Amino acid sequence: MEENYKALKQPLNAEAFTTSVKQAMTEGLEKLNIGMPKNSKVRITEKAGDWIAVSRRQPRLLTVPRNLFLLLFKRQLLVYLVGSLCQCCLHPRAGCSIKRAPDIFLS
């Protein structure tokens, strides 16, 4: 059982564990208490006993690389050309003696 606590990096003693959790919670609440008045997107209202109001997040615009369209177009063109090549090579009228597509085109 001790090895499980060591793996989790937690003390065996319950009091030591609860003390560390309380200390971490106290530090976190102190940071929140200090930072909240400075945050312009958070305000405390007088509505129904000091509610905390948070402004809505602005939607982030998706940033697309400038050459994304060109990259997609090149990829589609390559797929089309390889597909056409396979069909031409395997067509019986083209005089192709291959009965199946090469492995490179199947993967």
Side-chain angles (χ1 to χ4, degrees), residues 19-30:
T19 302
S20 67
V21 170
K22 284 180 183 179
Q23 182 180 0
M25 290 177 68
T26 302
E27 289 173 4
L29 288 172
E30 285 174 356

Side-chain angles (χ1 to χ4, degrees), residues 28-91:
L29 288 172
E30 285 174 356
K31 285 182 185 178
L32 180 68
N33 195 29
I34 291 169
M36 189 152 333
K38 297 175 186 174
N39 192 338
S40 63
K41 297 182 181 187
V42 177
R43 58 187 165 76
I44 298 176
T45 66
E46 299 294 325
K47 180 180 177 180
D50 296 335
W51 281 26
I52 297 175
V54 180
S55 63
R56 294 179 185 240
R57 289 182 62 188
Q58 296 295 325
R60 289 177 31 187
L61 297 176
L62 178 63
T63 56
V64 179
R66 292 178 185 255
N67 61 347
L68 180 65
F69 177 78
L70 184 62
L71 291 172
L72 292 175
F73 178 76
K74 284 182 179 179
R75 184 174 182 272
Q76 280 302 117
L77 181 63
L78 183 64
V79 168
Y80 174 76
L81 290 175
V82 168
S84 298
L85 182 65
C86 281
Q87 287 179 355
C88 289
C89 287
L90 298 177
H91 198 278

